[in-house]
Amino acid sequence: MDIDFQKRLLETFKVETKEHLTAISACLIDLEKAVEVEKRPAIIEAIFREAHSLKGAARAVNMAGIESLSHALEGVLAAFKRRTCIPSPALFDLLHQAVDTVDRLLPLLEAGRDATANAAVRKLVLILGKVASGFPPPDNEERDDGSEAKSHEFVGKAAAEAYTGLQNAAPGQRADDEAGSAARLQGASPDTVRVSTEKLESLFNQAEELLTVKLAAAQRAAELAELSSDMALWEKEWRKLRPLLRGMRKARQSPAGPAFAGKDAGRLEKLLDFFDCNHACIKKLGNKMQGVAKTAANDRHTLDGMVDTLLDEMKGALMLPIATIFEPLPKVARDLARARGKEAELVVAGGAVECDKRILEEIKDPLIHLIRNCVDHGIENPEERKLKGKPTRGKISVTATLIDSHRMEICINDDGAGIDIARLPEMAAKCGLLTRDEAERLEKDEQLAFIFTSGFSTHPMIDDISGRGLGLAIVREKAVKLGGTVTVTTDPRAGTTFRLLLPLTLATFRGVIVRVGEQPFIFPAPRVERVARIARSAVKSVENRETVELTGAVLSFVQLADLLELTRQEKKGKEPDFVQLLVLENEGKRIAIGVDEVLGEEEILVKSLGSQLTRVRNVAGATVLGTGKVVPILHTGDLLKSAVKGAATVVGAIREREDAETARKSVLIVEDSITARTLLKNILETAGYETLSAVDGLDALALIRMEEIDLVVSDVDMPRMNGFDLTSRIRASHEFADLPVVLVTSLDAREDRERGIEAGANAYIVKSSFDQSNLLDVIKRLI
């Protein structure tokens, strides 16, 4: 590997690891403080995902020690999720110690030392594995036997060796290195300066706040222009009255005699003089108003240009080429392909596209998950590709493209086997997310979109890389959080393509302002396909649902007031003959939403709802208009879900039914070693399973025919009949073909894993890492 590239990769990994560790530590503290039981699952899920992403990043840079610790953390968190591990102060101490240990391992990157050589790391991984398997956590005295000191000593020695190596270098070389370091700190040239991204982000946030000032200035200028227009109308009316006033003055001086006499004449004279004075005063005010309005308009144009230029410059300062996150991807694809016995190359394009640094940081993990998905699920084995007439080396391409000035698209494509859509309903039912009947009733697009559901996986076997159903769920979650979308298309001959449509910046975007009753709302302009006005008679009712036809397509129609559960105001008089609507598009779904009025489009500065309102259905945030009014920004995805009712409740009801099931499941343990058999029996019975035992494959087949067995946990190397043959016999049987089989073995070669897949095993767990595995989580997922 190129040395400079490796340094950049390790620097990126260190920054990413710090972020994951900070998030895990904060969530652990929140979990320990959480009194309400219903809040814990969300916190545990957040920690689980951070640990999962950290493990993948560590694998990419070959940090085996951090990878093993992250995997062990996953095991404990999985035990939390299935409630087989009870939170306690000792357990939280252990988890925080694991996080601190990962932090202390980071200096090993510069020293080039292998963290797995650290006895403290190995012991900590072992303890975490035991806790995940059901053993109580040790107290501080049992855990702290000098290993922590040894860990500090190990890290200290590594840093000391790196420093000593530098000091022992030749004087000229050391001077060059020091000069190079100084040059890097000061910048590549005297015209540049190094500024921390935190400071830049702070300046950028303040610059974005000027957008509110810009909108307010535009509003004031519009109000002054309106006042000036009112003054012009007054002048127009005054001109109509001036002939009448002149007539009254002439009548007063007529030779025939005045029309008014005495006090009336004096009053009339005063009234006419007041009109003349009033006209002169108002005209003077009107002229001043015109001047102020013109000056305000000029100031607004100047401020607009200054704010827009400042924002563009600040965006440019924080914009980075997307190549910065593309660099590690080829190595990720190569390493995973080698581990799977496949051949794959990854080609990147569009690396010059620049994007907000904050967005790049958020999409690193989703891209890695998608690449792993392409290698593990898409690219076939060389022999299979050869039979299909394809090159033995699979190809994965990652391309970034600018869609417009506000959006970009990242396309991840592989030339593999594609997704077998026909199998998706069966897999959804097997994962317990839907019943078979409910899954088969889903439309083709809905079935394909189901791959993004948490817990859904098409991998034939659960192992340390795939099968848990987390990767694509993380991709979708991140895309939605950034205000983007992710879609997938597949072809058995051409492979699979994932498309991530993302904004280039986070805080500002164009918004369409609408009104419902007296309340304005804002739709993100990228989600608004079109704005239209149609005749009320064009709204048809089909199967008790309103629809409209636009450009040859029939779309569901719903009033925004109904979606937001607002009380409709009764309109006096006849209803208008036309209906104003917006066509929204999100993840390939379209719907027409009726509003009372479309007010216009302008640039919007997004404001969060604060910690008190972390998640409000149908609302993504808020903004402040130039008038000072706070207006909600609507969440397009939530609106579509609210319009298509019932889809989410089906899954929820099914999961509630699953949680309500209290029947104990029966697990058959097939193991010739009495020690391993006793350990597995203890773990499973502690978790609430009933267990039966068999000493080899033939003994197991006899028990399967006589007893009610829900799952088989089997060793591979056994007398008379091994685990591979046992699995094949179970799959060949019509009566027990669907019985889940988990192989627990010391054979960790790729060929053995492939043989397990061919035999029909549902999961493959290596004994050498058994203490840090998610055995109970795998079993629960399968039954």
Side-chain angles (χ1 to χ4, degrees):
M1 185 189 299
D2 181 71
I3 296 177
D4 290 335
F5 170 70
Q6 188 175 16
K7 287 181 179 179
R8 292 198 304 270
L9 188 63
L10 293 178
E11 286 297 328
T12 303
F13 172 72
K14 286 195 295 182
V15 174
E16 182 182 1
T17 301
K18 290 285 188 181
E19 294 171 353
H20 288 309
L21 294 180
T22 301
I24 292 173
S25 297
C27 289
L28 284 175
I29 293 172
D30 292 339
L31 182 61
E32 193 168 7
K33 291 180 179 178
V35 179
E36 297 84 0
V37 178
E38 61 272 10
K39 290 184 178 180
R40 292 179 178 176
I43 301 175
I44 293 170
E45 181 70 12
I47 306 174
F48 192 92
R49 291 181 180 228
E50 293 289 341
H52 187 75
S53 297
L54 176 58
K55 182 180 72 174
R59 182 183 289 115
V61 294
N62 295 324
M63 286 297 292
I66 295 179
E67 180 186 354
S68 61
L69 274 172
S70 304
H71 192 62
L73 274 174
E74 276 189 317
V76 177
L77 294 167
F80 269 161
K81 293 172 70 174
R82 59 178 177 265
R83 299 182 181 179
T84 59
C85 186
I86 301 174
S88 66
L91 182 54
F92 282 111
D93 288 343
L94 179 64
L95 295 176
H96 281 294
Q97 181 186 345
V99 173
D100 293 340
T101 301
V102 173
D103 191 33
R104 289 197 299 270
L105 291 176
L106 288 178
L108 300 176
L109 290 171
E110 289 88 357
R113 297 288 295 272
D114 183 6
T116 54
N118 189 349
V121 172
R122 293 200 302 270
K123 181 174 182 180
L124 187 55
V125 167
L126 181 63
I127 293 173
L128 289 169
K130 288 183 177 179
V131 171
S133 301
F135 290 92
D139 55 26
N140 291 335
E141 288 75 13
E142 293 175 341
R143 195 168 65 246
D144 189 10
D145 58 352
S147 298
E148 187 169 354
K150 293 176 183 177
S151 174
H152 281 292
E153 181 184 355
F154 177 77
V155 174
K157 285 182 178 179
E161 289 173 6
Y163 177 76
T164 303
L166 176 62
Q167 294 302 310
N168 291 336
Q173 178 184 351
R174 189 165 65 247
D176 291 342
D177 292 342
E178 291 172 355
S181 299
R184 285 191 295 272
L185 288 172
Q186 294 174 0
S189 71
D191 298 329
T192 62
V193 62
R194 291 174 62 93
V195 181
S196 67
T197 55
E198 290 81 4
K199 290 182 179 179
L200 282 177
E201 288 176 0
S202 175
L203 290 173
F204 185 40
N205 292 334
Q206 294 179 55
E208 285 178 327
E209 292 295 334
L210 290 176
L211 182 60
T212 303
V213 179
K214 168 187 166 182
L215 296 175
Q219 182 67 27
R220 300 293 89 77
E223 291 171 355
L224 285 171
E226 187 177 355
L227 287 174
S228 182
S229 177
D230 291 341
M231 295 296 293
L233 288 174
W234 178 89
E235 178 68 22
K236 186 178 180 180
E237 294 299 321
W238 168 257
R239 287 173 182 169
K240 292 179 181 178
L241 291 174
R242 289 183 68 181
L244 179 60
L245 292 174
R246 285 196 299 268
M248 292 179 68
R249 287 185 183 278
K250 289 180 180 179
R252 188 187 59 182
Q253 301 171 357
S254 173
F260 298 94
K263 291 183 178 180
D264 290 340
R267 290 171 181 171
L268 177 60
E269 184 67 24
K270 289 181 179 179
L271 185 60
L272 292 176
D273 290 343
F274 171 77
F275 276 133
D276 290 337
C277 180
N278 184 57
H279 171 255
C281 182
I282 292 181
K283 189 170 184 179
K284 183 179 180 180
L285 286 175
N287 291 334
K288 286 185 177 182
M289 185 72 69
Q290 266 190 327
V292 172
K294 187 175 181 180
T295 302
N298 292 334
D299 290 345
R300 189 204 71 179
H301 288 303
T302 303
L303 181 62
D304 285 357
M306 292 174 64
V307 171
D308 291 342
T309 301
L310 178 60
L311 281 175
D312 289 341
E313 294 291 338
M314 288 304 301
K315 286 177 184 177
L318 278 174
M319 298 279 265
L320 293 175
I322 201 169
T324 56
I325 60 169
F326 278 0
E327 286 180 343
L329 299 183
K331 185 176 186 302
V332 171
R334 175 186 174 278
D335 292 347
L336 182 58
R338 287 178 63 85
R340 291 302 196 193
K342 300 178 179 180
E343 296 179 14
E345 65 172 339
L346 188 142
V347 180
V348 297
V353 173
E354 292 191 339
C355 179
D356 193 322
K357 171 181 174 290
R358 296 166 292 184
I359 292 179
L360 293 181
E361 291 172 349
E362 292 290 334
I363 64 173
K364 282 188 297 186
D365 288 343
L367 282 179
I368 290 176
H369 287 304
L370 288 173
I371 297 303
R372 293 174 61 182
N373 190 83
C374 290
V375 174
D376 206 24
H377 296 267
I379 302 297
E380 311 95 328
N381 291 321
E383 297 79 10
E384 186 178 350
R385 292 180 64 85
K386 195 171 182 180
L387 290 175
K388 292 181 178 180
K390 297 181 179 180
T392 56
R393 182 183 294 275
K395 183 178 180 180
I396 303 170
S397 63
V398 180
T399 307
T401 309
L402 275 177
I403 301 299
D404 50 40
S405 59
H406 300 285
R407 296 179 300 165
M408 69 171 175
E409 181 185 74
I410 301 177
C411 180
I412 300 94
N413 171 264
D414 69 70
D415 64 349
I419 301 172
D420 188 355
I421 300 178
R423 288 185 60 240
L424 295 182
E426 177 187 352
M427 299 302 297
K430 186 176 291 186
C431 293
L433 300 172
L434 293 173
T435 65
R436 291 184 184 274
D437 292 339
E438 290 165 338
E440 289 174 356
R441 283 199 298 268
L442 295 174
E443 298 292 335
K444 183 178 179 180
D445 292 341
E446 294 175 326
Q447 292 176 355
L448 191 56
F450 216 83
I451 65 175
F452 295 104
T453 304
S454 180
F456 180 85
S457 177
T458 59
H459 198 269
M461 190 169 66
I462 301 173
D463 58 15
D464 57 337
I465 295 178
S466 297
R468 302 179 188 276
L470 273 176
L472 292 182
I474 292 176
V475 172
R476 185 174 194 171
E477 180 183 283
K478 289 286 188 181
V480 172
K481 178 183 175 182
L482 293 171
T485 59
V486 55
T487 56
V488 57
T489 56
T490 187
D491 188 311
R493 298 175 300 276
T496 303
T497 301
F498 292 93
R499 299 183 187 277
L500 279 168
L501 190 63
L502 299 167
L504 291 177
T505 59
L506 276 180
T508 60
F509 65 90
R510 302 292 296 179
V512 178
I513 307 174
V514 302
R515 178 181 61 81
V516 175
E518 299 300 323
Q519 174 64 48
F521 295 95
I522 293 177
F523 287 94
R527 296 285 174 271
V528 179
E529 188 176 290
R530 64 178 296 184
V531 176
R533 189 179 73 158
I534 62 172
R536 185 168 294 277
S537 59
V539 180
K540 307 294 183 182
S541 180
V542 178
E543 296 181 356
N544 296 323
R545 299 198 63 140
E546 290 185 326
T547 62
V548 294
E549 184 176 352
L550 293 170
T551 62
V554 178
L555 304 176
S556 296
F557 175 78
V558 63
Q559 290 288 346
L560 181 59
D562 296 336
L563 284 180
L564 300 179
E565 301 178 10
L566 300 176
T567 303
R568 287 203 195 186
Q569 296 182 354
E570 295 186 4
K571 298 180 180 179
K572 297 180 181 179
K574 183 182 177 182
E575 287 192 347
D577 297 329
F578 293 92
V579 175
Q580 295 196 62
L581 58 83
L582 301 91
V583 177
L584 300 185
E585 188 278 332
N586 189 63
E587 297 183 1
K589 299 177 182 178
R590 300 166 70 220
I591 191 171
I593 294 183
V595 297
D596 292 346
E597 184 182 4
V598 178
L599 300 176
E601 178 183 354
E602 64 181 44
E603 193 169 8
I604 299 300
L605 176 65
V606 182
K607 300 280 189 179
S608 69
L609 300 179
S611 57
Q612 298 88 347
L613 299 171
T614 55
R615 185 70 174 93
V616 178
R617 183 167 56 93
N618 297 325
V619 178
T623 191
V624 181
L625 297 181
T627 58
K629 188 176 183 64
V630 178
V631 180
I633 301 171
L634 298 178
H635 193 296
T636 310
D638 282 2
L639 289 176
L640 286 170
K641 291 177 184 176
S642 299
V644 185
K645 296 181 179 179
T649 56
V650 171
V651 177
I654 292 167
R655 286 178 175 166
E656 289 176 4
R657 288 201 303 268
E658 288 180 347
D659 293 339
E661 293 180 358
T662 56
R664 296 184 69 188
K665 301 293 184 179
S666 177
V667 178
L668 173 61
I669 301 170
V670 188
E671 173 65 68
D672 60 333
S673 168
I674 187 172
T675 303
R677 193 164 62 241
T678 304
L679 176 62
L680 287 170
K681 181 179 177 67
N682 180 63
I683 292 171
L684 295 175
E685 289 181 351
T686 302
Y689 296 101
E690 291 183 353
T691 62
L692 296 170
S693 301
V695 296
D696 57 31
L698 290 177
D699 190 14
L701 285 176
L703 282 172
I704 289 172
R705 295 189 181 97
M706 292 187 296
E707 303 288 346
E708 290 289 334
I709 305 295
D710 295 302
L711 181 138
V712 175
V713 176
S714 175
D715 187 17
V716 171
D717 285 330
M718 296 180 295
R720 297 202 294 174
M721 180 183 290
N722 63 35
F724 293 139
D725 294 338
L726 170 62
T727 305
S728 299
R729 291 283 292 273
I730 292 173
R731 293 290 172 259
S733 168
H734 293 291
E735 186 177 359
F736 307 110
D738 294 329
L739 181 63
V741 178
V742 177
L743 295 179
V744 181
T745 174
S746 58
L747 304 176
D748 60 351
R750 174 176 53 82
E751 294 77 8
D752 297 316
R753 292 173 186 264
E754 292 176 352
R755 188 176 175 188
I757 294 176
E758 293 171 359
N762 299 91
Y764 193 99
I765 299 175
V766 180
K767 280 185 179 180
S768 61
S769 59
F770 174 73
D771 287 328
Q772 54 183 300
S773 67
N774 292 325
L775 175 63
L776 294 177
D777 184 44
V778 169
I779 292 175
K780 184 174 182 180
R781 193 181 297 273
L782 293 175
I783 59 175

